[in-house]
PDB file of all heavy atoms in Angstrom:
ATOM      1  N   THR F  11     -13.476  13.039  -7.842  1.00  0.00           N
ATOM      2  CA  THR F  11     -14.143  13.944  -6.900  1.00  0.00           C
ATOM      3  C   THR F  11     -13.087  14.284  -5.862  1.00  0.00           C
ATOM      4  O   THR F  11     -12.128  13.458  -5.502  1.00  0.00           O
ATOM      5  CB  THR F  11     -15.333  13.352  -6.285  1.00  0.00           C
ATOM      6  OG1 THR F  11     -15.020  12.219  -5.396  1.00  0.00           O
ATOM      7  CG2 THR F  11     -16.355  12.916  -7.295  1.00  0.00           C
ATOM      8  N   GLY F  12     -13.154  15.514  -5.357  1.00  0.00           N
ATOM      9  CA  GLY F  12     -12.205  15.976  -4.366  1.00  0.00           C
ATOM     10  C   GLY F  12     -10.771  15.904  -4.774  1.00  0.00           C
ATOM     11  O   GLY F  12      -9.883  15.347  -4.091  1.00  0.00           O
ATOM     12  N   ALA F  13     -10.494  16.450  -5.953  1.00  0.00           N
ATOM     13  CA  ALA F  13      -9.176  16.301  -6.589  1.00  0.00           C
ATOM     14  C   ALA F  13      -8.397  17.619  -6.493  1.00  0.00           C
ATOM     15  O   ALA F  13      -7.293  17.759  -7.062  1.00  0.00           O
ATOM     16  CB  ALA F  13      -9.213  15.969  -8.012  1.00  0.00           C
ATOM     17  N   SER F  14      -8.806  18.671  -5.661  1.00  0.00           N
ATOM     18  CA  SER F  14      -8.103  19.748  -5.488  1.00  0.00           C
ATOM     19  C   SER F  14      -6.867  19.613  -4.594  1.00  0.00           C
ATOM     20  O   SER F  14      -5.856  20.380  -4.681  1.00  0.00           O
ATOM     21  CB  SER F  14      -8.985  20.959  -4.950  1.00  0.00           C
ATOM     22  OG  SER F  14      -9.642  20.451  -3.783  1.00  0.00           O
ATOM     23  N   ARG F  15      -6.966  18.595  -3.755  1.00  0.00           N
ATOM     24  CA  ARG F  15      -5.888  18.249  -2.732  1.00  0.00           C
ATOM     25  C   ARG F  15      -5.623  16.883  -2.473  1.00  0.00           C
ATOM     26  O   ARG F  15      -6.478  16.107  -2.903  1.00  0.00           O
ATOM     27  CB  ARG F  15      -6.343  18.991  -1.410  1.00  0.00           C
ATOM     28  CG  ARG F  15      -6.408  20.434  -1.480  1.00  0.00           C
ATOM     29  CD  ARG F  15      -6.892  21.025  -0.136  1.00  0.00           C
ATOM     30  NE  ARG F  15      -8.267  20.937   0.224  1.00  0.00           N
ATOM     31  CZ  ARG F  15      -8.669  20.344   1.277  1.00  0.00           C
ATOM     32  NH1 ARG F  15      -7.890  19.960   2.238  1.00  0.00           N
ATOM     33  NH2 ARG F  15     -10.016  20.356   1.599  1.00  0.00           N
ATOM     34  N   GLY F  16      -4.573  16.582  -1.706  1.00  0.00           N
ATOM     35  CA  GLY F  16      -4.354  15.249  -1.246  1.00  0.00           C
ATOM     36  C   GLY F  16      -4.372  14.068  -2.221  1.00  0.00           C
ATOM     37  O   GLY F  16      -3.824  14.156  -3.319  1.00  0.00           O
ATOM     38  N   ILE F  17      -5.089  12.995  -1.766  1.00  0.00           N
ATOM     39  CA  ILE F  17      -5.073  11.783  -2.606  1.00  0.00           C
ATOM     40  C   ILE F  17      -5.808  11.988  -3.949  1.00  0.00           C
ATOM     41  O   ILE F  17      -5.207  11.477  -4.967  1.00  0.00           O
ATOM     42  CB  ILE F  17      -5.876  10.614  -1.770  1.00  0.00           C
ATOM     43  CG1 ILE F  17      -5.086  10.314  -0.558  1.00  0.00           C
ATOM     44  CG2 ILE F  17      -6.063   9.445  -2.580  1.00  0.00           C
ATOM     45  CD1 ILE F  17      -5.812   9.403   0.490  1.00  0.00           C
ATOM     46  N   GLY F  18      -6.855  12.708  -3.973  1.00  0.00           N
ATOM     47  CA  GLY F  18      -7.588  13.001  -5.235  1.00  0.00           C
ATOM     48  C   GLY F  18      -6.649  13.698  -6.200  1.00  0.00           C
ATOM     49  O   GLY F  18      -6.691  13.403  -7.429  1.00  0.00           O
ATOM     50  N   ASN F  35     -12.763  17.839  -9.653  1.00  0.00           N
ATOM     51  CA  ASN F  35     -13.855  18.314  -8.916  1.00  0.00           C
ATOM     52  C   ASN F  35     -13.338  18.731  -7.463  1.00  0.00           C
ATOM     53  O   ASN F  35     -12.433  18.122  -7.004  1.00  0.00           O
ATOM     54  CB  ASN F  35     -14.937  17.105  -8.737  1.00  0.00           C
ATOM     55  CG  ASN F  35     -15.926  17.439  -7.556  1.00  0.00           C
ATOM     56  OD1 ASN F  35     -15.738  16.871  -6.489  1.00  0.00           O
ATOM     57  ND2 ASN F  35     -16.762  18.452  -7.679  1.00  0.00           N
ATOM     58  N   TYR F  36     -14.060  19.776  -7.024  1.00  0.00           N
ATOM     59  CA  TYR F  36     -13.755  20.229  -5.578  1.00  0.00           C
ATOM     60  C   TYR F  36     -14.988  20.897  -5.081  1.00  0.00           C
ATOM     61  O   TYR F  36     -15.975  21.146  -5.657  1.00  0.00           O
ATOM     62  CB  TYR F  36     -12.651  21.307  -5.724  1.00  0.00           C
ATOM     63  CG  TYR F  36     -13.085  22.547  -6.512  1.00  0.00           C
ATOM     64  CD1 TYR F  36     -13.310  23.681  -5.721  1.00  0.00           C
ATOM     65  CD2 TYR F  36     -13.046  22.641  -7.826  1.00  0.00           C
ATOM     66  CE1 TYR F  36     -13.672  24.972  -6.457  1.00  0.00           C
ATOM     67  CE2 TYR F  36     -13.403  23.772  -8.514  1.00  0.00           C
ATOM     68  CZ  TYR F  36     -13.784  24.788  -7.852  1.00  0.00           C
ATOM     69  OH  TYR F  36     -14.200  26.071  -8.501  1.00  0.00           O
ATOM     70  N   ALA F  37     -14.858  21.079  -3.680  1.00  0.00           N
ATOM     71  CA  ALA F  37     -16.112  21.724  -3.046  1.00  0.00           C
ATOM     72  C   ALA F  37     -16.024  23.170  -2.971  1.00  0.00           C
ATOM     73  O   ALA F  37     -16.928  23.870  -3.358  1.00  0.00           O
ATOM     74  CB  ALA F  37     -16.148  21.079  -1.607  1.00  0.00           C
ATOM     75  N   SER F  38     -14.892  23.739  -2.444  1.00  0.00           N
ATOM     76  CA  SER F  38     -14.857  25.214  -2.284  1.00  0.00           C
ATOM     77  C   SER F  38     -13.562  25.795  -2.502  1.00  0.00           C
ATOM     78  O   SER F  38     -13.366  27.019  -2.771  1.00  0.00           O
ATOM     79  CB  SER F  38     -15.269  25.602  -0.833  1.00  0.00           C
ATOM     80  OG  SER F  38     -14.402  24.837   0.039  1.00  0.00           O
ATOM     81  N   ASN F  39     -12.420  25.095  -2.671  1.00  0.00           N
ATOM     82  CA  ASN F  39     -11.091  25.530  -2.760  1.00  0.00           C
ATOM     83  C   ASN F  39     -10.651  25.750  -4.174  1.00  0.00           C
ATOM     84  O   ASN F  39      -9.904  24.976  -4.736  1.00  0.00           O
ATOM     85  CB  ASN F  39     -10.128  24.518  -2.021  1.00  0.00           C
ATOM     86  CG  ASN F  39      -8.906  25.221  -1.650  1.00  0.00           C
ATOM     87  OD1 ASN F  39      -8.486  26.185  -2.165  1.00  0.00           O
ATOM     88  ND2 ASN F  39      -8.255  24.609  -0.535  1.00  0.00           N
ATOM     89  N   ALA F  42      -6.846  25.908  -5.118  1.00  0.00           N
ATOM     90  CA  ALA F  42      -6.309  24.635  -5.106  1.00  0.00           C
ATOM     91  C   ALA F  42      -6.568  23.832  -6.318  1.00  0.00           C
ATOM     92  O   ALA F  42      -5.669  23.158  -6.810  1.00  0.00           O
ATOM     93  CB  ALA F  42      -6.555  23.922  -3.836  1.00  0.00           C
ATOM     94  N   ALA F  62     -18.473  21.332  -7.400  1.00  0.00           N
ATOM     95  CA  ALA F  62     -19.883  20.686  -7.130  1.00  0.00           C
ATOM     96  C   ALA F  62     -19.690  20.053  -5.797  1.00  0.00           C
ATOM     97  O   ALA F  62     -18.717  19.410  -5.457  1.00  0.00           O
ATOM     98  CB  ALA F  62     -20.212  19.722  -8.233  1.00  0.00           C
ATOM     99  N   ASP F  63     -20.801  20.283  -5.070  1.00  0.00           N
ATOM    100  CA  ASP F  63     -20.987  19.582  -3.713  1.00  0.00           C
ATOM    101  C   ASP F  63     -21.444  18.109  -4.016  1.00  0.00           C
ATOM    102  O   ASP F  63     -22.679  18.048  -4.459  1.00  0.00           O
ATOM    103  CB  ASP F  63     -21.773  20.232  -2.767  1.00  0.00           C
ATOM    104  CG  ASP F  63     -22.020  19.577  -1.430  1.00  0.00           C
ATOM    105  OD1 ASP F  63     -21.581  18.338  -1.292  1.00  0.00           O
ATOM    106  OD2 ASP F  63     -22.450  20.231  -0.477  1.00  0.00           O
ATOM    107  N   ILE F  64     -20.696  17.072  -3.846  1.00  0.00           N
ATOM    108  CA  ILE F  64     -21.157  15.714  -4.337  1.00  0.00           C
ATOM    109  C   ILE F  64     -22.159  15.124  -3.426  1.00  0.00           C
ATOM    110  O   ILE F  64     -22.688  14.102  -3.777  1.00  0.00           O
ATOM    111  CB  ILE F  64     -19.938  14.765  -4.394  1.00  0.00           C
ATOM    112  CG1 ILE F  64     -19.018  14.760  -3.147  1.00  0.00           C
ATOM    113  CG2 ILE F  64     -19.077  15.110  -5.665  1.00  0.00           C
ATOM    114  CD1 ILE F  64     -19.010  13.547  -2.569  1.00  0.00           C
ATOM    115  N   SER F  65     -22.488  15.834  -2.358  1.00  0.00           N
ATOM    116  CA  SER F  65     -23.588  15.188  -1.547  1.00  0.00           C
ATOM    117  C   SER F  65     -24.932  15.764  -2.055  1.00  0.00           C
ATOM    118  O   SER F  65     -26.064  15.496  -1.383  1.00  0.00           O
ATOM    119  CB  SER F  65     -23.407  15.538  -0.054  1.00  0.00           C
ATOM    120  OG  SER F  65     -23.490  16.957   0.163  1.00  0.00           O
ATOM    121  N   ASN F  90     -13.606   9.938  -4.633  1.00  0.00           N
ATOM    122  CA  ASN F  90     -12.518  10.178  -3.565  1.00  0.00           C
ATOM    123  C   ASN F  90     -12.819  11.123  -2.428  1.00  0.00           C
ATOM    124  O   ASN F  90     -12.386  11.036  -1.394  1.00  0.00           O
ATOM    125  CB  ASN F  90     -11.307  10.584  -4.420  1.00  0.00           C
ATOM    126  CG  ASN F  90     -10.276  11.304  -3.431  1.00  0.00           C
ATOM    127  OD1 ASN F  90      -9.476  10.590  -2.741  1.00  0.00           O
ATOM    128  ND2 ASN F  90     -10.226  12.593  -3.397  1.00  0.00           N
ATOM    129  N   ALA F  91     -13.755  12.130  -2.777  1.00  0.00           N
ATOM    130  CA  ALA F  91     -13.990  13.241  -1.837  1.00  0.00           C
ATOM    131  C   ALA F  91     -14.512  12.670  -0.497  1.00  0.00           C
ATOM    132  O   ALA F  91     -15.329  11.805  -0.521  1.00  0.00           O
ATOM    133  CB  ALA F  91     -15.011  14.187  -2.405  1.00  0.00           C
ATOM    134  N   GLY F  92     -14.025  13.157   0.551  1.00  0.00           N
ATOM    135  CA  GLY F  92     -14.423  12.711   1.805  1.00  0.00           C
ATOM    136  C   GLY F  92     -14.036  13.705   2.828  1.00  0.00           C
ATOM    137  O   GLY F  92     -13.091  14.544   2.725  1.00  0.00           O
ATOM    138  N   ILE F  93     -14.634  13.454   4.026  1.00  0.00           N
ATOM    139  CA  ILE F  93     -14.226  14.436   5.217  1.00  0.00           C
ATOM    140  C   ILE F  93     -14.426  13.590   6.473  1.00  0.00           C
ATOM    141  O   ILE F  93     -14.942  12.435   6.473  1.00  0.00           O
ATOM    142  CB  ILE F  93     -15.306  15.586   5.297  1.00  0.00           C
ATOM    143  CG1 ILE F  93     -16.744  15.068   5.480  1.00  0.00           C
ATOM    144  CG2 ILE F  93     -15.135  16.508   4.104  1.00  0.00           C
ATOM    145  CD1 ILE F  93     -17.610  16.018   6.263  1.00  0.00           C
ATOM    146  N   ILE F 113     -21.382  13.114   2.650  1.00  0.00           N
ATOM    147  CA  ILE F 113     -20.303  13.324   1.672  1.00  0.00           C
ATOM    148  C   ILE F 113     -19.562  12.045   1.331  1.00  0.00           C
ATOM    149  O   ILE F 113     -19.375  11.830   0.192  1.00  0.00           O
ATOM    150  CB  ILE F 113     -19.199  14.365   2.278  1.00  0.00           C
ATOM    151  CG1 ILE F 113     -20.116  15.799   2.348  1.00  0.00           C
ATOM    152  CG2 ILE F 113     -18.063  14.524   1.365  1.00  0.00           C
ATOM    153  CD1 ILE F 113     -19.302  16.906   2.951  1.00  0.00           C
ATOM    154  N   ASN F 114     -19.305  11.186   2.286  1.00  0.00           N
ATOM    155  CA  ASN F 114     -18.453  10.011   1.999  1.00  0.00           C
ATOM    156  C   ASN F 114     -19.379   8.925   1.312  1.00  0.00           C
ATOM    157  O   ASN F 114     -18.932   8.442   0.360  1.00  0.00           O
ATOM    158  CB  ASN F 114     -17.941   9.481   3.319  1.00  0.00           C
ATOM    159  CG  ASN F 114     -16.773  10.266   3.856  1.00  0.00           C
ATOM    160  OD1 ASN F 114     -15.653  10.234   3.488  1.00  0.00           O
ATOM    161  ND2 ASN F 114     -17.010  11.110   4.819  1.00  0.00           N
ATOM    162  N   ILE F 140     -12.992   5.270  -2.741  1.00  0.00           N
ATOM    163  CA  ILE F 140     -11.993   5.453  -1.809  1.00  0.00           C
ATOM    164  C   ILE F 140     -12.542   5.206  -0.409  1.00  0.00           C
ATOM    165  O   ILE F 140     -13.379   6.041   0.062  1.00  0.00           O
ATOM    166  CB  ILE F 140     -11.193   6.801  -1.864  1.00  0.00           C
ATOM    167  CG1 ILE F 140     -10.641   7.040  -3.275  1.00  0.00           C
ATOM    168  CG2 ILE F 140     -10.085   6.755  -0.740  1.00  0.00           C
ATOM    169  CD1 ILE F 140      -9.587   5.992  -3.814  1.00  0.00           C
ATOM    170  N   THR F 141     -12.340   4.058   0.138  1.00  0.00           N
ATOM    171  CA  THR F 141     -12.796   3.627   1.520  1.00  0.00           C
ATOM    172  C   THR F 141     -11.571   4.042   2.498  1.00  0.00           C
ATOM    173  O   THR F 141     -10.836   4.962   2.131  1.00  0.00           O
ATOM    174  CB  THR F 141     -13.329   2.271   1.528  1.00  0.00           C
ATOM    175  OG1 THR F 141     -13.714   2.005   2.893  1.00  0.00           O
ATOM    176  CG2 THR F 141     -12.390   1.146   0.983  1.00  0.00           C
ATOM    177  N   SER F 142     -11.419   3.197   3.461  1.00  0.00           N
ATOM    178  CA  SER F 142     -10.427   3.464   4.426  1.00  0.00           C
ATOM    179  C   SER F 142     -10.153   2.151   5.196  1.00  0.00           C
ATOM    180  O   SER F 142     -11.108   1.303   5.389  1.00  0.00           O
ATOM    181  CB  SER F 142     -10.805   4.521   5.482  1.00  0.00           C
ATOM    182  OG  SER F 142      -9.841   4.468   6.530  1.00  0.00           O
ATOM    183  N   VAL F 143      -8.948   1.952   5.681  1.00  0.00           N
ATOM    184  CA  VAL F 143      -8.724   0.777   6.595  1.00  0.00           C
ATOM    185  C   VAL F 143      -9.595   0.768   7.853  1.00  0.00           C
ATOM    186  O   VAL F 143      -9.982  -0.303   8.348  1.00  0.00           O
ATOM    187  CB  VAL F 143      -7.225   0.596   6.995  1.00  0.00           C
ATOM    188  CG1 VAL F 143      -6.440   0.243   5.769  1.00  0.00           C
ATOM    189  CG2 VAL F 143      -6.688   1.908   7.712  1.00  0.00           C
ATOM    190  N   TYR F 155     -17.338   8.077  10.578  1.00  0.00           N
ATOM    191  CA  TYR F 155     -16.527   7.935   9.396  1.00  0.00           C
ATOM    192  C   TYR F 155     -16.335   6.467   9.018  1.00  0.00           C
ATOM    193  O   TYR F 155     -16.495   6.047   7.881  1.00  0.00           O
ATOM    194  CB  TYR F 155     -15.122   8.567   9.728  1.00  0.00           C
ATOM    195  CG  TYR F 155     -14.115   8.548   8.582  1.00  0.00           C
ATOM    196  CD1 TYR F 155     -14.158   9.361   7.441  1.00  0.00           C
ATOM    197  CD2 TYR F 155     -12.990   7.734   8.783  1.00  0.00           C
ATOM    198  CE1 TYR F 155     -13.185   9.282   6.462  1.00  0.00           C
ATOM    199  CE2 TYR F 155     -11.992   7.697   7.753  1.00  0.00           C
ATOM    200  CZ  TYR F 155     -12.115   8.583   6.604  1.00  0.00           C
ATOM    201  OH  TYR F 155     -11.128   8.533   5.585  1.00  0.00           O
ATOM    202  N   LYS F 159     -17.418   4.543   5.648  1.00  0.00           N
ATOM    203  CA  LYS F 159     -16.372   3.788   4.836  1.00  0.00           C
ATOM    204  C   LYS F 159     -16.804   2.372   4.735  1.00  0.00           C
ATOM    205  O   LYS F 159     -16.508   1.718   3.657  1.00  0.00           O
ATOM    206  CB  LYS F 159     -14.932   3.948   5.415  1.00  0.00           C
ATOM    207  CG  LYS F 159     -14.502   5.425   5.332  1.00  0.00           C
ATOM    208  CD  LYS F 159     -14.501   5.934   3.950  1.00  0.00           C
ATOM    209  CE  LYS F 159     -13.681   7.249   3.614  1.00  0.00           C
ATOM    210  NZ  LYS F 159     -13.863   7.894   2.329  1.00  0.00           N
ATOM    211  N   PRO F 185      -7.095   3.222   1.748  1.00  0.00           N
ATOM    212  CA  PRO F 185      -5.738   3.641   2.239  1.00  0.00           C
ATOM    213  C   PRO F 185      -5.563   3.530   3.738  1.00  0.00           C
ATOM    214  O   PRO F 185      -6.464   3.468   4.558  1.00  0.00           O
ATOM    215  CB  PRO F 185      -5.875   5.122   1.855  1.00  0.00           C
ATOM    216  CG  PRO F 185      -6.988   5.262   0.943  1.00  0.00           C
ATOM    217  CD  PRO F 185      -7.916   4.222   1.322  1.00  0.00           C
ATOM    218  N   GLY F 186      -4.330   3.290   4.172  1.00  0.00           N
ATOM    219  CA  GLY F 186      -3.912   3.472   5.593  1.00  0.00           C
ATOM    220  C   GLY F 186      -3.836   4.919   5.887  1.00  0.00           C
ATOM    221  O   GLY F 186      -4.703   5.682   5.443  1.00  0.00           O
ATOM    222  N   TYR F 187      -2.656   5.247   6.608  1.00  0.00           N
ATOM    223  CA  TYR F 187      -2.447   6.680   6.917  1.00  0.00           C
ATOM    224  C   TYR F 187      -1.646   7.353   5.888  1.00  0.00           C
ATOM    225  O   TYR F 187      -0.547   6.870   5.524  1.00  0.00           O
ATOM    226  CB  TYR F 187      -1.741   6.762   8.291  1.00  0.00           C
ATOM    227  CG  TYR F 187      -2.596   6.443   9.424  1.00  0.00           C
ATOM    228  CD1 TYR F 187      -2.685   5.069   9.773  1.00  0.00           C
ATOM    229  CD2 TYR F 187      -3.450   7.374  10.043  1.00  0.00           C
ATOM    230  CE1 TYR F 187      -3.530   4.660  10.781  1.00  0.00           C
ATOM    231  CE2 TYR F 187      -4.318   6.893  11.050  1.00  0.00           C
ATOM    232  CZ  TYR F 187      -4.320   5.500  11.344  1.00  0.00           C
ATOM    233  OH  TYR F 187      -5.167   5.138  12.363  1.00  0.00           O
ATOM    234  N   ILE F 188      -2.279   8.299   5.104  1.00  0.00           N
ATOM    235  CA  ILE F 188      -1.613   8.964   4.072  1.00  0.00           C
ATOM    236  C   ILE F 188      -1.421  10.462   4.327  1.00  0.00           C
ATOM    237  O   ILE F 188      -2.344  10.993   4.927  1.00  0.00           O
ATOM    238  CB  ILE F 188      -2.505   8.873   2.761  1.00  0.00           C
ATOM    239  CG1 ILE F 188      -2.925   7.423   2.499  1.00  0.00           C
ATOM    240  CG2 ILE F 188      -1.809   9.554   1.591  1.00  0.00           C
ATOM    241  CD1 ILE F 188      -1.935   6.375   2.148  1.00  0.00           C
ATOM    242  N   THR F 190      -1.775  13.844   4.133  1.00  0.00           N
ATOM    243  CA  THR F 190      -2.585  14.934   3.329  1.00  0.00           C
ATOM    244  C   THR F 190      -3.131  15.924   4.419  1.00  0.00           C
ATOM    245  O   THR F 190      -2.862  15.729   5.632  1.00  0.00           O
ATOM    246  CB  THR F 190      -3.904  14.330   2.734  1.00  0.00           C
ATOM    247  OG1 THR F 190      -4.693  13.897   3.677  1.00  0.00           O
ATOM    248  CG2 THR F 190      -3.396  13.063   1.840  1.00  0.00           C
ATOM    249  N   ASP F 191      -3.864  16.910   4.024  1.00  0.00           N
ATOM    250  CA  ASP F 191      -4.483  17.839   4.979  1.00  0.00           C
ATOM    251  C   ASP F 191      -5.285  17.114   6.031  1.00  0.00           C
ATOM    252  O   ASP F 191      -5.442  17.532   7.151  1.00  0.00           O
ATOM    253  CB  ASP F 191      -5.384  18.969   4.176  1.00  0.00           C
ATOM    254  CG  ASP F 191      -4.473  19.792   3.348  1.00  0.00           C
ATOM    255  OD1 ASP F 191      -3.288  19.823   3.446  1.00  0.00           O
ATOM    256  OD2 ASP F 191      -5.089  20.489   2.525  1.00  0.00           O
ATOM    257  N   MET F 192      -6.007  15.953   5.529  1.00  0.00           N
ATOM    258  CA  MET F 192      -6.825  15.336   6.510  1.00  0.00           C
ATOM    259  C   MET F 192      -6.118  14.779   7.630  1.00  0.00           C
ATOM    260  O   MET F 192      -6.671  14.595   8.855  1.00  0.00           O
ATOM    261  CB  MET F 192      -7.533  14.014   5.719  1.00  0.00           C
ATOM    262  CG  MET F 192      -8.619  13.394   6.512  1.00  0.00           C
ATOM    263  SD  MET F 192      -9.412  12.114   5.572  1.00  0.00           S
ATOM    264  CE  MET F 192     -10.807  12.963   4.796  1.00  0.00           C
ATOM    265  N   THR F 193      -4.832  14.385   7.427  1.00  0.00           N
ATOM    266  CA  THR F 193      -4.045  13.766   8.619  1.00  0.00           C
ATOM    267  C   THR F 193      -3.019  14.849   9.153  1.00  0.00           C
ATOM    268  O   THR F 193      -2.319  14.497  10.081  1.00  0.00           O
ATOM    269  CB  THR F 193      -3.273  12.504   8.123  1.00  0.00           C
ATOM    270  OG1 THR F 193      -2.717  12.766   6.999  1.00  0.00           O
ATOM    271  CG2 THR F 193      -4.260  11.484   8.000  1.00  0.00           C
TER     272      THR F 193
HETATM  273  P1  NAP S   1      -8.190  15.986   1.883  1.00  0.00           P
HETATM  274  O1  NAP S   1      -6.809  16.205   1.709  1.00  0.00           O
HETATM  275  O2  NAP S   1      -8.874  16.552   3.086  1.00  0.00           O
HETATM  276  O3  NAP S   1      -9.012  16.580   0.542  1.00  0.00           O
HETATM  277  C1  NAP S   1     -10.389  16.309   0.610  1.00  0.00           C
HETATM  278  C2  NAP S   1     -10.913  16.554  -0.911  1.00  0.00           C
HETATM  279  O4  NAP S   1     -12.257  16.406  -0.889  1.00  0.00           O
HETATM  280  C3  NAP S   1     -10.786  18.138  -1.197  1.00  0.00           C
HETATM  281  O5  NAP S   1     -10.417  18.141  -2.538  1.00  0.00           O
HETATM  282  C4  NAP S   1     -12.018  18.631  -0.937  1.00  0.00           C
HETATM  283  O6  NAP S   1     -12.397  19.875  -1.742  1.00  0.00           O
HETATM  284  C5  NAP S   1     -12.920  17.541  -1.381  1.00  0.00           C
HETATM  285  N1  NAP S   1     -14.335  17.608  -0.827  1.00  0.00           N
HETATM  286  C6  NAP S   1     -14.700  17.661   0.498  1.00  0.00           C
HETATM  287  N2  NAP S   1     -15.984  17.705   0.596  1.00  0.00           N
HETATM  288  C7  NAP S   1     -16.478  17.745  -0.723  1.00  0.00           C
HETATM  289  C8  NAP S   1     -17.812  17.768  -1.213  1.00  0.00           C
HETATM  290  N3  NAP S   1     -18.895  17.864  -0.527  1.00  0.00           N
HETATM  291  N4  NAP S   1     -17.910  17.782  -2.592  1.00  0.00           N
HETATM  292  C9  NAP S   1     -16.928  17.701  -3.442  1.00  0.00           C
HETATM  293  N5  NAP S   1     -15.622  17.643  -2.893  1.00  0.00           N
HETATM  294  C10 NAP S   1     -15.417  17.681  -1.555  1.00  0.00           C
HETATM  295  O7  NAP S   1      -8.433  14.415   2.001  1.00  0.00           O
HETATM  296  P2  NAP S   1      -7.543  13.201   1.656  1.00  0.00           P
HETATM  297  O8  NAP S   1      -6.747  12.753   2.839  1.00  0.00           O
HETATM  298  O9  NAP S   1      -6.902  13.385   0.225  1.00  0.00           O
HETATM  299  O10 NAP S   1      -8.694  12.145   1.438  1.00  0.00           O
HETATM  300  C11 NAP S   1      -9.217  11.703   0.218  1.00  0.00           C
HETATM  301  C12 NAP S   1     -10.021  10.355   0.427  1.00  0.00           C
HETATM  302  O11 NAP S   1      -9.244   9.345   1.050  1.00  0.00           O
HETATM  303  C13 NAP S   1     -11.266  10.588   1.395  1.00  0.00           C
HETATM  304  O12 NAP S   1     -12.351   9.896   0.991  1.00  0.00           O
HETATM  305  C14 NAP S   1     -10.672  10.083   2.730  1.00  0.00           C
HETATM  306  O13 NAP S   1     -11.715   9.689   3.551  1.00  0.00           O
HETATM  307  C15 NAP S   1      -9.833   8.913   2.097  1.00  0.00           C
HETATM  308  N6  NAP S   1      -8.775   8.397   3.060  1.00  0.00           N
HETATM  309  C16 NAP S   1      -7.803   9.363   3.513  1.00  0.00           C
HETATM  310  C17 NAP S   1      -6.750   8.824   4.315  1.00  0.00           C
HETATM  311  C18 NAP S   1      -5.678   9.649   4.847  1.00  0.00           C
HETATM  312  O14 NAP S   1      -4.850   9.119   5.638  1.00  0.00           O
HETATM  313  N7  NAP S   1      -5.544  10.866   4.275  1.00  0.00           N
HETATM  314  C19 NAP S   1      -6.862   7.399   4.798  1.00  0.00           C
HETATM  315  C20 NAP S   1      -7.872   6.600   4.352  1.00  0.00           C
HETATM  316  C21 NAP S   1      -8.927   7.138   3.526  1.00  0.00           C
HETATM  317  P3  NAP S   1     -11.871  21.366  -1.240  1.00  0.00           P
HETATM  318  O15 NAP S   1     -10.321  21.445  -1.518  1.00  0.00           O
HETATM  319  O16 NAP S   1     -12.613  22.238  -2.097  1.00  0.00           O
HETATM  320  O17 NAP S   1     -12.223  21.407   0.244  1.00  0.00           O
END
Side-chain angles (χ1 to χ4, degrees):
T11 68
S14 47
R15 299 181 277 127
I17 293 173
N35 159 255
Y36 65 102
S38 57
N39 203 331
D63 178 347
I64 50 119
S65 66
N90 165 78
I93 60 149
I113 295 176
N114 289 280
I140 306 297
T141 176
S142 166
V143 292
Y155 181 73
K159 293 305 195 187
Y187 291 89
I188 308 297
T190 68
D191 291 347
M192 189 177 267
T193 47

